[in-house]
Amino acid sequence: MSTTVAGFAVQDPSSPDSKVYAAFAYRDGTTYRFATTSGGEGAWVSRNMRSQQNKTLSSADELADVMAKTWISKRGRGYQQLLAGPVTFEVPSTLGEIDPAHLVSAISNEMPVLSATDATVSRTVLHAFSSITTAQSAATAPPSAARTHLDVDASERDGITLPNGKVMYPRQVAGHTDVAMLRHLRSTDLYVRLHGPAGGGKSTVPYGAFGDELIVMHGHGDTTVAHFVGQHVPLSDGGFEFRDGPLTRAMKEGKPFFLDEASRVPSETISVLMSVADGRGTLNIDDLPGSAPIVAADGFWMIIGYNEFGQGVRPLDDAIKRRFPIAIEVTADFTAAESSGVDPRVIKVARNLHTQNAEDQADGGLGTWVPQIADLLVAQRVLDAGLGVEVALATLVSACTIPDSIEDVREAIEAVFGFEAQALVLGGRA
């Protein structure tokens, strides 16, 4: 059993110790509680924040109102850096008050919602208790009003080990967790497309959801239909044998199929997915004339992942998008970087660029480049190799794919580290 908590964490970067403030809402028996905690950035990173208050309120509506007013108050008093939420998460069930300091480690694993408003905060709190509201009004509510909360097992909240041995951390999406949503959708014909910048972790989500069961295909500019469905291969005796491709195997075996780098596949090739994804669930193999169509077995399901920009990237066909209607953007997961041991200062540079990008776009600008988790992990590997912080930060500068953003990256690094990082350039003779 677990307790649902709604909360957010914000920071005042201009204060002497970069003070952090977090607010939480949860249910304690028949009452509702509003809890807060605060501390310097060091306390936030070490999960050693100080409890401030834990007071009782009479209703979910009152609690939602208090949380929203607190959000407005803190944002108006310099807490402009968003660290986490507003979001809901689960903690082990407990009777009575929960020490808000104990909730810091849980919310610190959640991403910030940069476009959040006080209304977003209020909705997040009310959604946290939606299952209670639904149960109480089940006799009068229409069936479609019920809202399913999809979450991972408690054992997976601290990380899911991927087939390659690395660990991924489930993330929130519309009140659910990403891997739980994918697992749930597998029983439907609602297919998912994961899009976002390179290095953002798109492939980790389906691997986290399905592990070794997942059948993966990597797209590229020379991908053919045969790469999907299979082809005849020569045998040692001079004959030929047809070998199933990954799509065919997934359909026959009833397994989830993941096409990575879908936007690099030629349009005339990716159309092979049309009849599979449009409700028919069938696949004709032209190289096996006269054979019956392959019919998808129970358990078969599809996900595609793609970049929308970059060299070699093609616009994804609208017909494919309609057949993969659930679009989820996958961006930098800074909490995963924290859990992977990336230097907090490097993560702060990335968070600051993330915030700058959101604010610039909100003002009508083009935004700025934001490091993805792959970039942060490389920087940490350089540090672990003993090459020094200058070389590690140079990898961030060199990783920037937008020339106009390089100066933004340098300024963000200087604000945290106190010096301007440069790309690596050979000098005179040693």
Side-chain angles (χ1 to χ4, degrees):
M1 296 293 291
S2 60
T3 298
T4 301
V5 181
F8 64 81
V10 291
Q11 182 180 31
D12 179 1
S14 63
S15 61
D17 55 355
S18 296
K19 190 174 181 180
V20 177
Y21 176 93
F24 305 99
Y26 66 95
R27 193 168 185 263
D28 172 19
T30 59
T31 62
Y32 298 87
R33 289 194 175 273
F34 171 69
T36 62
T37 184
S38 67
E41 184 176 39
W44 165 259
V45 172
S46 64
R47 314 293 189 258
N48 193 30
M49 301 268 280
R50 299 183 302 276
S51 299
Q52 284 190 320
Q53 59 179 325
N54 197 325
K55 64 181 182 181
T56 300
L57 299 173
S58 60
S59 69
D61 287 335
E62 183 181 2
L63 183 55
D65 184 57
V66 169
M67 288 283 285
K69 289 180 178 177
T70 303
W71 172 270
I72 295 173
S73 172
K74 290 298 177 182
R75 296 283 282 164
R77 290 167 53 192
Y79 286 82
Q80 298 300 314
Q81 179 73 35
L82 311 185
L83 299 182
V87 70
T88 60
F89 54 92
E90 303 292 321
V91 297
S93 278
T94 183
L95 296 176
E97 293 185 11
I98 301 176
D99 184 345
H102 294 166
L103 299 173
V104 171
S105 60
I107 197 173
S108 63
N109 291 325
E110 308 294 348
M111 287 290 291
V113 181
L114 297 178
S115 59
T117 64
D118 56 316
T120 307
V121 176
S122 180
R123 285 195 302 269
T124 301
V125 174
L126 292 175
H127 283 168
F129 309 110
S130 61
S131 59
I132 299 169
T133 304
T134 300
Q136 291 173 343
S137 60
T140 57
S144 61
R147 183 176 185 272
T148 303
H149 177 73
L150 304 172
D151 206 352
V152 295
D153 294 335
S155 62
E156 295 182 320
R157 290 200 64 84
D158 292 330
I160 298 173
T161 302
L162 304 178
N164 63 4
K166 296 182 179 180
V167 177
M168 70 88 68
Y169 298 89
R171 299 168 65 180
Q172 292 283 334
V173 52
H176 311 292
T177 54
D178 49 8
V179 295
M181 177 183 284
L182 264 58
R183 292 167 183 167
H184 181 77
L185 289 171
R186 185 179 177 183
S187 62
T188 74
D189 60 359
L190 294 169
Y191 301 121
V192 168
R193 48 190 165 100
L194 306 171
H195 63 97
K202 293 183 292 297
S203 62
T204 63
V205 181
Y207 272 120
F210 304 116
D212 288 324
E213 191 179 10
L214 187 70
I215 293 181
V216 181
M217 175 176 168
H218 297 278
H220 52 78
D222 295 323
T223 302
T224 65
V225 171
H227 286 112
F228 282 93
V229 304
Q231 57 191 321
H232 286 95
V233 296
L235 301 177
S236 58
D237 62 3
F240 288 86
E241 178 183 70
F242 188 86
R243 298 276 178 85
D244 290 338
L247 176 62
T248 305
R249 287 194 293 111
M251 294 181 69
K252 288 182 175 180
E253 298 173 18
K255 292 183 177 180
F257 170 77
F258 174 47
L259 173 61
D260 201 5
E261 302 290 356
S263 57
R264 299 183 185 276
V265 178
S267 298
E268 61 272 18
T269 299
I270 201 172
S271 62
V272 70
L273 299 179
M274 296 291 195
S275 64
V276 183
D278 66 2
R280 287 174 284 176
T282 61
L283 175 67
N284 290 292
I285 301 179
D286 294 339
D287 283 353
L288 295 176
S291 64
I294 305 298
V295 178
D298 290 343
F300 170 75
W301 190 66
M302 291 191 292
I303 321 125
I304 61 174
Y306 61 99
N307 305 328
E308 295 179 289
F309 308 100
Q311 187 174 3
V313 168
R314 299 172 169 86
L316 207 61
D317 193 293
D318 287 342
I320 289 294
K321 288 184 176 181
R322 285 194 295 271
R323 285 166 172 79
F324 290 79
I326 299 181
I328 302 174
E329 184 178 9
V330 182
T331 56
D333 183 359
F334 301 131
T335 57
E338 290 171 344
S339 301
S340 299
V342 176
D343 189 308
R345 296 171 300 170
V346 176
I347 296 175
K348 185 172 183 178
V349 170
R351 287 189 183 277
N352 289 347
L353 285 168
H354 190 265
T355 300
Q356 180 180 342
N357 176 62
E359 292 175 345
D360 187 31
Q361 290 182 335
D363 290 339
L366 297 176
T368 192
W369 178 79
V370 179
Q372 301 301 305
I373 185 171
D375 305 315
L376 302 181
L377 292 176
V378 167
Q380 185 58 45
R381 287 172 59 192
V382 174
L383 287 174
D384 293 340
L387 294 176
V389 68
E390 292 88 351
V391 179
L393 296 176
T395 66
L396 284 185
V397 176
S398 299
C400 177
T401 56
I402 304 175
D404 290 344
S405 295
I406 290 178
E407 191 59 34
D408 292 336
V409 177
R410 288 174 175 160
E411 290 177 357
I413 290 173
E414 184 174 12
V416 174
F417 286 87
F419 66 89
E420 184 175 319
Q422 300 287 344
L424 299 179
V425 178
L426 289 180
R429 179 176 176 177

